[in-house]
Amino acid sequence: MKILFIIFGIISFILGAIGVVLPILPTTPFLLLSAFLFSKSSDRFHEYLIQTKLYQKYINEMVIERKTTKKKRNQSLFTVTLIFLIAVMITPIWIGKICLLMVMSIHHFIMLKKVEIINE
């Protein structure tokens, strides 16, 4: 089971790294997933991940300290909205659409009300 967690953690980390360059792919959720998977499987990989500049820039600042720049916040809101709206359009079940819209609304609320904007 640890091997699967490591494999999925590496895949998630790679997708998060690609998300830095491609605005359509969200970085933060993939890095959070990597941190979770590595914490369950390998201390060495987990320690490596939390020391990377990528983790420090996208996770530590926004998720742990709840601070971000206006540009990063808007980019995150745009990406999440785009992905969730695509998911809502392709989901055939109405309750699924409602759940997706609720999760998107919670994300927006947190980003707009609970995350402090810093000047950079």
Side-chain angles (χ1 to χ4, degrees):
M1 193 63 150
K2 285 186 176 189
I3 297 293
L4 285 175
F5 281 167
I6 291 172
I7 291 169
F8 287 129
I10 291 170
I11 291 169
S12 179
F13 179 77
I14 291 169
L15 289 172
I18 293 171
V20 171
V21 180
L22 286 173
I24 274 207
L25 204 57
T27 300
T28 305
F30 285 118
L31 293 178
L32 285 172
L33 179 61
S34 294
F36 171 76
L37 293 170
F38 288 150
S39 72
K40 297 292 181 188
S41 61
S42 169
D43 290 335
R44 192 175 100 211
F45 279 119
H46 186 257
E47 286 299 317
Y48 171 76
L49 175 67
I50 62 175
Q51 298 301 320
T52 61
K53 287 181 184 177
L54 195 62
Y55 183 88
Q56 294 295 320
K57 183 176 180 183
Y58 286 94
I59 303 298
N60 199 36
E61 188 178 88
M62 188 180 295
V63 177
I64 310 283
E65 297 175 13
R66 292 191 180 213
K67 297 178 182 176
T68 189
T69 63
K70 193 171 188 175
K71 180 181 176 185
K72 285 183 193 175
R73 181 194 65 186
N74 291 341
Q75 188 176 27
S76 173
L77 287 172
F78 174 77
T79 304
V80 167
T81 302
L82 181 67
I83 290 171
F84 271 92
L85 290 179
I86 290 170
V88 166
M89 288 190 304
I90 64 174
T91 301
I93 302 168
W94 280 100
I95 192 74
K97 292 177 187 254
I98 292 169
C99 289
L100 286 167
L101 290 172
M102 287 174 56
V103 170
M104 183 180 75
S105 299
I106 291 168
H107 176 266
H108 279 65
F109 174 78
I110 291 170
M111 290 300 292
L112 293 171
K113 299 292 183 184
K114 303 291 183 182
V115 175
E116 180 185 340
I117 299 298
I118 57 174
N119 294 325
E120 196 168 307

